[in-house]
Amino acid sequence: MKTRTVYETKIGPQLPDDMNAEMDRVVKRWDELPQEEALRLLFVTDLHHWKGGNQLRTARAIQELTHRLPLDAVVCGGDHSLNGPLGDFMESQREIMRELSAAACLVLPLKGNHDDNSIHDFYHHPGSAGHVVFPEDSFDLYVQERQDAVTLDPEHPLGLYYFCDIPEKRVRIVVLNIIDIPYCVTEKGNLQYNGQWKYAFSDRQLNWVAHKAFDFSSKADAQN
C-alpha cells in the first residue's frame, strides 16, 4: 500500500479574520451540496510566493480546509514562487512546498513555466544558465517525497509527469508536464530552449499517456 509523507507546518496558528470568514463560507457552501461519492479536489495555482511572504497564509488556509473538508487531494498547478536569484528562488520553493505538503490529504504539484527560473537569467544574466532550476532539482522539490503515492514513467522519471490512483473513488488523476523539454546548455552558456516560453510535451510523455497512463488492464474491476 502506498504511503503519504507527513510534513510539519512551520506557520503560526493565526490567520486574518477575512481568510477565516472565507473558509467558513466555503465549508458552509460545501455542507449545502449533495454529498455524492465524487472526487473531491482543491486546486490552487500561481501562488508566486517569495520567502516569508503572505502566501504562507494561503498555504495555512489550505491546511485548515483539508482538515475541515473530506478532500481526496490538493492539486498545485505550478508557478509556486517568484523568480529571482537561484538561492532565494529555491528557498522560496522549498518553503511553500513544505507548507502546502503539510495538508491533511495527498498533495500533487505540477511544474509551471516560471518554475525553472529561466526568466531570471534571460533578463538579468543573458548568455547564462546559472540560475536555472533543472529537472533534477524540480524532481526533488515536487516528486521526491511523494514517490510512494504516485506512479512515474520509469523510462523518464525526470519528465515530472505521473498518475495517482484514488482506489475508493475508482479514479486516476493524471498529472502532465507541459514543459517537458530538453534542458541543454549551449556553447555560449545559455539554455537552448527556455522553459519560460517554450512549451512542449515530449514524445516520451505522449507515448506514456497513450499506452500507460490510462491502461487499467491490471485492475481487478477494469471491465466495470
Side-chain angles (χ1 to χ4, degrees):
M1 180 178 178
K2 293 186 174 182
T3 59
R4 183 178 70 85
T5 301
V6 177
Y7 299 80
E8 181 181 357
T9 179
K10 305 298 182 184
I11 306 170
Q14 298 301 317
L15 288 174
D17 290 342
D18 59 333
M19 295 188 80
N20 283 316
E22 180 64 16
M23 285 193 293
D24 289 343
R25 187 192 69 80
V26 170
V27 172
K28 182 176 184 297
R29 174 59 178 148
W30 181 289
D31 290 339
E32 294 170 351
L33 295 173
Q35 298 301 308
E36 300 175 352
E37 287 301 314
L39 184 69
R40 299 181 174 101
L41 298 179
L42 188 157
F43 181 76
V44 59
T45 189
D46 290 79
L47 291 175
H48 292 283
H49 169 67
W50 191 244
K51 57 180 182 176
N54 285 338
Q55 294 295 5
L56 292 177
R57 292 178 174 176
T58 302
R60 180 73 172 97
I62 290 170
Q63 293 172 27
E64 289 285 339
L65 284 172
T66 63
H67 283 280
R68 297 177 66 180
L69 300 174
L71 293 165
D72 295 301
V74 173
V75 179
C76 306
D79 288 1
H80 309 291
S81 301
L82 284 175
N83 299 106
L86 182 60
D88 292 338
F89 180 79
M90 290 297 290
E91 186 175 344
S92 67
Q93 286 262 320
R94 285 190 288 265
E95 184 177 63
I96 195 66
M97 288 310 304
R98 180 183 66 241
E99 302 303 339
L100 288 169
S101 297
C105 63
L106 183 66
V107 175
L108 303 174
L110 290 73
K111 179 182 177 182
N113 65 313
H114 280 270
D115 291 325
D116 71 359
N117 204 40
S118 58
I119 192 174
H120 183 75
D121 281 322
F122 183 86
Y123 285 119
H124 300 283
H125 306 278
S128 170
H131 296 269
V132 171
V133 178
F134 288 88
E136 294 86 350
D137 297 313
S138 296
F139 182 93
D140 290 342
L141 285 166
Y142 310 140
V143 182
Q144 180 70 43
E145 297 295 339
R146 48 189 53 84
Q147 285 190 85
D148 290 341
V150 304
T151 300
L152 296 155
D153 179 357
E155 297 179 4
H156 187 36
L158 295 183
L160 304 177
Y161 50 87
Y162 54 84
F163 66 75
C164 173
D165 288 334
I166 312 292
E168 60 272 23
K169 299 296 176 63
R170 298 179 66 195
V171 168
R172 174 169 292 177
I173 302 171
V174 180
V175 174
L176 303 180
N177 176 15
I178 200 171
I179 315 168
D180 187 15
I181 59 176
Y183 276 81
C184 304
V185 179
T186 69
E187 293 181 358
K188 295 180 180 180
N190 61 314
L191 286 180
Q192 182 177 2
Y193 305 105
N194 189 309
Q196 179 68 35
W197 296 285
K198 300 294 184 182
Y199 307 157
F201 295 111
S202 69
D203 288 342
R204 286 179 295 190
Q205 184 173 178
L206 294 175
N207 183 69
W208 176 83
V209 170
H211 301 288
K212 300 290 180 62
F214 297 104
D215 179 8
F216 300 101
S217 59
S218 63
K219 301 294 182 181
D221 57 351
Q223 302 302 318
N224 298 331

